[in-house]
Amino acid sequence: AMRSALDDAASAARSRISLSSNRATPRGSSIQRMYCACQSCYLFTLILTIVLFVVGMSYAPREPEYNVCANELAWKSIVEGMASLKMSASFDLLVSVYNPNRFEVDLSDGSGQFHHDGEYVGSFDIPEGKVSEKAISDIVVKVTFTPDKWSALSLTSEYYRGNLKFVIGGHSHVKIPKLW
């Protein structure tokens, strides 16, 4: 009976040892797996953030550059017409637009006004058209000057003095076809 009790005690001790050693192995490996999963999520998030930042910056909108192709002879003839009290003048103005963006832009319903010394002196209409991506597009703008006689004389004198300046305000509807 004594031997049986000793065998039972030894067997119980071995089973406790084996139970505790069985528990230690899974616990260490599950912590290791959880640590690897957290590392993987962190690296995935970091790489995704970097990729989205680079893509976002390459497609971020940039302001277009404008160049108004003004012909001195055309302006001079308009001003001479105003000096002779011809109160209106219409002409076409070529505007070159460089679109540095990676998407095409559609323009529609564009118009605006010219002001000089706070008074309305003319208007312009921008035709419907497309401004190509990463390219220079030319747009012909229809300009009409209709100043009153005192504004016409003021415009003429400032033109000949070399300091004629206008305040220009306008608007146009812009649509980006790739986004819609």
Side-chain angles (χ1 to χ4, degrees), residues 57-64 99-103 134:
M57 291 308 292
S58 67
Y59 281 93
R62 293 173 188 89
E63 188 174 341
N99 180 8
N101 298 298
R102 296 177 183 260
F103 41 83
K134 295 217 170 253

Side-chain angles (χ1 to χ4, degrees), residues 9-151:
S11 173
R14 267 186 264 132
S15 68
R16 266 188 260 143
I17 291 171
S18 67
L19 282 177
S20 65
S21 66
N22 284 344
R23 285 184 187 159
T25 305
R27 172 173 268 175
S29 66
S30 66
I31 290 174
Q32 185 67 28
R33 276 184 265 147
M34 190 176 3
Y35 178 73
C36 287
C38 287
Q39 268 187 328
S40 299
C41 286
Y42 174 74
L43 286 174
F44 175 75
T45 303
L46 187 66
I47 290 170
L48 183 65
T49 302
I50 291 170
V51 167
L52 287 175
F53 176 77
V54 169
V55 168
M57 291 308 292
S58 67
Y59 281 93
R62 293 173 188 89
E63 188 174 341
E65 297 174 21
Y66 304 93
N67 182 26
V68 178
C69 303
N71 185 343
E72 282 295 318
L73 186 62
W75 281 102
K76 188 173 182 180
S77 67
I78 291 166
V79 170
E80 287 173 354
M82 283 189 228
S84 66
L85 299 179
K86 180 181 172 189
M87 291 303 156
S88 72
S90 293
F91 61 97
D92 293 334
L93 193 63
L94 181 65
V95 178
S96 297
V97 181
Y98 171 66
N99 180 8
N101 298 298
R102 296 177 183 260
F103 41 83
E104 183 177 83
V105 175
D106 291 344
L107 297 175
S108 62
D109 298 326
S111 64
Q113 297 180 342
F114 289 93
H115 292 272
H116 179 261
D117 290 338
E119 291 188 37
Y120 171 84
V121 292
S123 65
F124 61 91
D125 292 311
I126 302 170
E128 289 189 14
K130 295 183 183 301
V131 180
S132 301
E133 60 191 69
K134 295 217 170 253
I136 297 173
S137 299
D138 291 330
I139 301 170
V140 178
V141 177
K142 185 75 168 170
V143 178
T144 304
F145 278 105
T146 55
D148 63 21
K149 65 179 177 179
W150 298 112
S151 293

